[in-house]
Amino acid sequence: IARTHLALIEHARARAETPLIFVDTDLHITELFHEIYLKSPMQISSHMLTRARTDMKFVLYPTVEWVDDGTRVMSSETSRHLFTGRLEILLQQNKETYTSISSSDYDTRFKQVAAKVETLIGGTKFKEYLLPDRLHRQRRTKSPRSPKK
């Protein structure tokens, strides 16, 4: 599982049109879910963790309302907090720095992440940086479609 996950991260890096990619679930999250689902620890090599290392990590605290999308297994507040605590321990054990986001408001959470990313990319506005220049030009020059008759 971890090897496939790492391969997907490396594939995204290789194909990205900007040097910025977002990875929702890193190898540490994969490791924790392995423990939850398979009831056994997963050993990820230091070599793999080094290859998967990112410039910036965010730990989003479970301070927003629980949304059951049918794929989540940690519906209790206690289990969510325990998971987040375990993640922080793994990050600290692996000497990975991260930014904690604890606001209970989605817009505030997004703005906190965007501000931190903007410092990483040298003040460039987050929205502009996500899209390659050619996509920006296409969006600016694209005329609205005529309604179909």
Side-chain angles (χ1 to χ4, degrees):
I1 296 169
R3 280 191 295 275
T4 301
H5 192 160
L6 178 59
L8 290 170
I9 292 169
E10 290 177 333
H11 179 75
R13 282 183 179 147
R15 296 187 51 110
E17 294 189 35
T18 69
L20 183 66
I21 65 167
F22 286 85
V23 179
D24 175 67
T25 304
D26 72 353
L27 291 182
H28 298 297
I29 299 283
T30 299
E31 182 177 358
L32 290 174
F33 276 116
H34 186 277
E35 289 177 17
I36 289 169
Y37 288 120
L38 301 178
K39 309 285 189 240
S40 65
M42 171 188 269
Q43 296 300 318
I44 300 177
S45 73
S46 60
H47 175 70
M48 287 177 65
L49 289 171
T50 298
R51 286 172 45 201
R53 195 170 286 272
T54 58
D55 294 322
M56 187 174 287
K57 284 190 186 297
F58 296 96
V59 173
L60 304 176
Y61 284 100
T63 54
V64 294
E65 185 178 334
W66 169 257
V67 177
D68 187 356
D69 64 1
T71 65
R72 313 278 180 204
V73 294
M74 294 177 295
S75 59
S76 77
E77 189 170 329
T78 301
S79 64
R80 293 168 66 208
H81 282 280
L82 286 172
F83 186 88
T84 303
R86 276 284 287 126
L87 174 59
E88 288 182 302
I89 289 168
L90 279 175
L91 293 173
Q92 291 162 8
Q93 287 173 340
N94 288 282
K95 297 178 178 35
E96 295 203 38
T97 57
Y98 61 92
T99 300
S100 301
I101 304 294
S102 60
S103 173
S104 60
D105 174 71
Y106 284 107
D107 288 334
T108 302
R109 289 164 80 99
F110 177 81
K111 288 174 185 172
Q112 289 171 333
V113 169
K116 190 78 173 170
V117 170
E118 286 174 3
T119 64
L120 178 70
I121 58 178
T124 304
K125 288 297 177 199
F126 183 55
K127 282 196 256 184
E128 294 170 12
Y129 195 82
L130 289 177
L131 296 174
D133 282 342
R134 66 180 175 72
L135 292 177
H136 279 298
R137 284 193 298 277
Q138 287 174 350
R139 284 186 168 193
R140 283 191 295 249
T141 59
K142 211 180 244 188
S143 60
R145 291 185 180 172
S146 310
K148 291 186 179 185
K149 296 180 182 181

